[in-house]
Amino acid sequence: MFALEINKNNFHEEVMNSDKPVLLDFWAPWCGPCRMVVPIVEEIAKEREDIKVGKINVDENPELASAFEIMSIPTLMVIKNGEVVNQISGARSKNQILAMV
């Protein structure tokens, strides 16, 4: 499975109504640390069927970035049952990201 492209049109369905925990990566293509995290996020999406993984491009979805008060990217967030349960900013290792879930 691949990380889903999340936007304002599918956010409610894919994230808020998910029966699995959702790992979200807030990113932008021009962000160096974001480019370091993308392969790790994609790897987690392929390996872990017990979680849903999504990516939110903050340039294309400023309303979602604003709604979650994203001040720096990459920001990784875990949402369970429609609630933010964990959040970190900056490039992280795979183990650090998985420890959030």
Side-chain angles (χ1 to χ4, degrees):
M1 200 158 137
F2 295 98
L4 300 166
E5 292 291 331
I6 303 295
N7 57 51
K8 65 181 179 183
N9 297 325
N10 68 359
F11 180 81
H12 195 74
E13 170 95 19
E14 295 291 352
V15 178
M16 301 309 278
N17 289 342
S18 177
D19 56 348
K20 299 178 183 179
V22 182
L23 172 65
L24 290 177
D25 175 18
F26 288 84
W27 71 286
W30 48 263
C31 165
C34 297
R35 290 195 303 269
M36 292 168 45
V37 171
V38 166
I40 297 168
V41 169
E42 289 290 353
E43 190 175 308
I44 292 169
K46 289 177 190 167
E47 294 175 355
R48 297 284 302 265
E49 293 182 15
D50 59 323
I51 60 175
K52 188 181 284 189
V53 180
K55 300 186 300 186
I56 298 176
N57 182 326
V58 297
D59 289 343
E60 295 174 358
N61 299 281
E63 60 285 326
L64 289 175
S66 178
F68 287 97
E69 300 177 356
I70 302 302
M71 297 296 164
S72 64
I73 53 174
T75 291
L76 297 154
M77 181 180 295
V78 176
I79 297 179
K80 292 182 185 176
N81 301 317
E83 305 256 337
V84 176
V85 295
N86 217 333
Q87 180 175 329
I88 55 172
S89 294
R92 304 290 183 187
S93 71
K94 183 177 178 182
N95 287 340
Q96 289 172 313
I97 295 170
L98 287 172
M100 293 176 55
V101 179

